[in-house]
Amino acid sequence: MKKEFLLAQKKTPYIDAYQEYLNEKNTSFDVPGHHQGNIKTEFDRIFPHAVYKADVNCPRGLDNILHPSGCIKEAEELFAKACHASKARFLVNGSTSGNLIMLMATLKAHQKIILPRNVHKSVINGLILSGAVPVFVMPVIDKQTEIVNQIQYKEWKKAIDQNPDARAIFIINPTYFGATCNLKKITEYAHSKGMVVLCDEAHGAHFYFSKHLPMSAMDAGCDMSTLSVHKTGGSLTQSSVLLINTDKVSQYEINKAYNLITTTSPSSILLASLDGARKYLVFHGSRRIWKCIKLAREAIDEINKIKGFKAHGKEYFTKGLAFDYDETKIVVELDNLSITGFECYKILKDEYRIQIELAETYVLLLLYTVGTRNKDSLKIIDALKDISRRFYKEGITYPDHHFVTTIPDLKVRPRVAFHGPLKIVDLKDALNKISKEMIMIYPPGIPLIIPGEVFSSNIINQIEYYKNTGVSVFSDFEGTNQVSIIDENDPDYNEIIKKN
């Protein structure tokens, strides 16, 4: 079986069909309108003109992403087998589209879903589209680094027991910072109560290709998961995969949601990158991932020798914060530096030409992936040494800005709030009002408030704090201090509340 599997995984059906089409040198009277590069634009200053030649849509011979029957279907089947799933569907709008599809396929209006409060904004969008009712559970907060981690099994069990009518639960595997929960145990308990288990594996695509990483969603028995192969698996940005292994959601509902969300004009370049990444991960992923884990471990040791920085890995996070941890991620805590994490993030990029994944007030996040080289790791270590020399000051006391970590009060369903009557007010005047919008810092894209939740003084203080740091705060009124709330003076306000 192993031999047959590897023999099949050597194939790249989409890439083969793609190459054959390009070799034919067909004359274009279809889209895209540049007709394989018959124009020149400023784009040519950055990329070889050959990119145009490769940019085709869904011509004859390259299958149709919405109803695959040829090379896309075969490539998806190979991906499913590589990830121990019964079915896989390619995505060209990132895991955002995968999350939307999972929620739309599983949930109808007024049905409950239990989920962490630190879900990505795409999940909240899925609640708006489906009309579902969220039951939020607060994950463990690390008070030292202020990082949001995982929900412990006992909290999942409590939420499931208190909401026996919930249709599904939604799990993050792993969090943005690499923490995972007891996925298999939670999944088994949810299934015993008749609930569907959905999983956001946007940051865990590599889990399927290494025995040194936490358990994957499919191996844990989840019904569906979405993984950003582009984040940790080597494909191009926006290319992701939806994995399916369920009899609890009909294939009809999944196809219907997929066709609703997925573009009719997929990029062949992105699809080909998924086909290529899958083969690479099957044959080289284990070795490359192990190499990057070793690099990350070595980097943690070296960074912890630098004054002003504390590097955290698996040992730190599995002491009560998480069940398991993805060792390809390094959380670097700032200590006794006269700069914040946000300032360090900018200095690394502007002065050292190093782009890290993200920063929090006193935390940096570094990703070690299949593309990380030894010289890259040495470069970040040297940069942190130099930053230490410049900004380390013994005895610095950081201001206490810890925010209350309670879940905001959800007054109405996200979809009801989204369609409710609009009133625009200054942030300071939004206290105790129902939000119509999501406000978040990006990355990572986890909302501080969502449609239907009530603005508290704690939320307002957080938003003001992040705006003052100069980080990207995403809202409907970027660049202003205004927010959108439901207009309580609208004559239909009481009816809107009743609709909840």
Side-chain angles (χ1 to χ4, degrees):
M1 187 63 182
K2 178 75 171 177
K3 185 177 180 181
E4 291 177 5
F5 169 79
L6 293 175
L7 191 63
Q9 290 293 326
K10 286 183 178 180
K11 298 177 182 177
T12 49
Y14 189 82
I15 290 175
D16 294 346
Y18 192 16
Q19 186 173 38
E20 183 178 346
Y21 182 86
L22 296 178
N23 289 343
E24 291 171 353
K25 298 182 179 179
N26 298 288
T27 299
S28 296
F29 284 94
D30 61 349
V31 295
H34 58 72
H35 284 182
Q36 291 189 270
N38 292 338
I39 62 170
K40 280 184 176 290
T41 71
E42 293 299 301
F43 183 80
D44 290 87
R45 291 168 50 195
I46 304 173
F47 294 102
H49 198 70
V51 173
Y52 279 108
K53 296 290 185 185
D55 183 38
V56 295
N57 192 346
C58 297
R60 177 173 168 77
L62 283 188
D63 210 353
N64 186 296
I65 193 172
L66 298 179
H67 301 282
S69 59
C71 57
I72 293 178
K73 182 174 183 290
E74 188 179 353
E76 287 178 336
E77 288 172 347
L78 288 170
F79 215 114
K81 289 176 181 176
C83 295
H84 322 134
S86 61
K87 194 175 183 67
R89 297 301 306 270
F90 285 171
L91 307 170
V92 290
N93 192 29
S95 287
T96 286
S97 61
N99 285 337
L100 294 176
I101 292 164
M102 290 194 296
L103 291 167
M104 291 293 287
T106 305
L107 300 164
K108 293 180 173 58
H110 297 283
Q111 288 186 323
K112 286 183 182 179
I113 180 170
I114 304 169
L115 66 171
R117 183 53 183 80
N118 59 320
V119 290
H120 187 261
K121 68 183 289 287
S122 60
V123 180
I124 307 303
N125 288 335
L127 297 175
I128 292 170
L129 291 173
S130 67
V133 179
V135 178
F136 288 120
V137 185
M138 198 65 194
V140 175
I141 308 292
D142 177 15
K143 296 190 182 302
Q144 182 173 327
T145 62
E146 299 182 8
I147 290 173
V148 180
N149 287 287
Q150 280 287 353
I151 299 170
Q152 296 180 344
Y153 171 75
K154 64 179 181 179
E155 296 301 322
W156 274 112
K157 185 178 183 299
K158 179 181 176 182
I160 291 169
D161 289 342
Q162 290 177 344
N163 297 275
D165 56 338
R167 164 67 173 152
I169 70 170
F170 188 97
I171 302 174
I172 306 169
N173 188 60
T175 64
Y176 207 118
F177 291 93
T180 64
C181 58
N182 193 338
L183 190 60
K184 187 175 179 63
K185 190 174 182 180
I186 296 165
T187 298
E188 288 175 348
Y189 191 72
H191 279 166
S192 75
K193 300 299 181 179
M195 298 180 189
V196 177
V197 181
L198 309 176
C199 190
D200 181 346
E201 285 192 296
H203 296 271
H206 53 314
F207 285 10
Y208 291 89
F209 304 96
S210 173
K211 64 182 180 181
H212 300 288
L213 294 174
M215 180 176 285
S216 69
M218 292 296 101
D219 288 338
C222 297
D223 294 282
M224 286 187 277
S225 75
T226 182
L227 47 152
S228 296
V229 185
H230 68 93
K231 283 186 169 72
T232 57
S235 64
L236 294 178
T237 296
Q238 285 188 221
S239 58
S240 296
V241 172
L242 174 66
L243 297 178
I244 304 159
N245 193 23
T246 186
D247 57 5
K248 294 177 175 59
V249 183
S250 74
Q251 192 59 54
Y252 167 78
E253 293 293 342
I254 296 171
N255 289 342
K256 186 171 68 172
Y258 183 87
N259 291 338
L260 177 72
I261 299 298
T262 303
T263 178
T264 56
S265 301
S267 165
S268 292
I269 298 172
L270 297 185
L271 295 175
S273 78
L274 283 171
D275 202 19
R278 182 264 314 157
K279 181 177 178 180
Y280 178 87
L281 289 168
V282 168
F283 290 97
H284 307 288
S286 178
R287 175 181 57 82
R288 288 290 298 184
I289 292 168
W290 176 236
K291 180 181 178 181
C292 81
I293 289 173
K294 289 195 293 182
L295 276 178
R297 288 176 178 176
E298 292 166 4
I300 287 173
D301 290 340
E302 290 302 313
I303 293 170
N304 280 329
K305 297 174 185 176
I306 304 171
K307 290 182 177 180
F309 296 101
K310 297 177 181 178
H312 302 309
K314 184 173 182 176
E315 183 180 356
Y316 178 85
F317 283 92
T318 52
K319 289 181 179 178
L321 297 172
F323 178 76
D324 203 352
Y325 187 73
D326 174 8
E327 288 196 80
T328 68
K329 296 175 175 64
I330 301 177
V331 172
V332 182
E333 181 185 354
L334 275 62
D335 181 46
N336 285 298
L337 292 181
S338 60
I339 55 174
T340 67
F342 301 122
E343 291 168 326
C344 191
Y345 175 94
K346 293 174 185 176
I347 290 169
L348 282 167
K349 168 61 175 63
D350 296 344
E351 299 182 30
Y352 298 90
R353 295 295 179 253
I354 295 173
Q355 180 65 61
I356 64 171
E357 179 61 15
L358 64 75
E360 294 282 0
T361 310
Y362 300 115
V363 163
L364 309 174
L365 177 62
L366 313 180
L367 302 189
Y368 277 62
T369 72
V370 292
T372 304
R373 302 166 296 181
N374 184 60
K375 67 177 183 179
D376 300 329
S377 190
L378 293 175
K379 185 177 180 181
I380 185 71
I381 291 167
D382 286 343
L384 294 180
K385 287 178 180 177
D386 198 42
I387 289 173
S388 171
R389 179 187 59 79
R390 295 167 60 189
F391 299 104
Y392 178 79
K393 293 183 179 179
E394 191 75 46
I396 287 179
T397 302
Y398 293 139
D400 184 5
H401 66 280
H402 290 84
F403 298 109
V404 179
T405 54
T406 55
I407 299 173
D409 180 30
L410 185 73
K411 189 80 170 180
V412 297
R413 283 181 296 137
R415 185 163 80 177
V416 172
F418 183 83
H419 292 295
L422 169 67
K423 185 176 182 180
I424 301 170
V425 299
D426 286 339
L427 177 61
K428 62 181 174 57
D429 297 323
L431 183 64
N432 298 325
K433 305 300 182 184
I434 301 172
S435 177
K436 273 183 60 65
E437 64 176 308
M438 269 186 282
I439 301 176
M440 73 206 76
I441 55 172
Y442 195 90
I446 298 167
L448 300 172
I449 192 167
I450 69 171
E453 288 182 339
V454 177
F455 279 97
S456 64
S457 57
N458 179 56
I459 294 296
I460 291 172
N461 290 339
Q462 284 190 64
I463 294 169
E464 288 178 337
Y465 169 78
Y466 285 122
K467 283 189 173 185
N468 290 334
T469 63
V471 299
S472 298
V473 179
F474 285 17
S475 68
D476 290 347
F477 298 96
E478 284 181 54
T480 75
N481 210 37
Q482 293 180 316
V483 295
S484 60
I485 61 171
I486 294 180
D487 186 357
E488 296 177 355
N489 296 318
D490 188 277
D492 296 326
Y493 176 76
N494 289 330
E495 283 300 313
I496 290 166
I497 298 300
K498 287 179 184 178
K499 284 181 181 178
N500 191 48

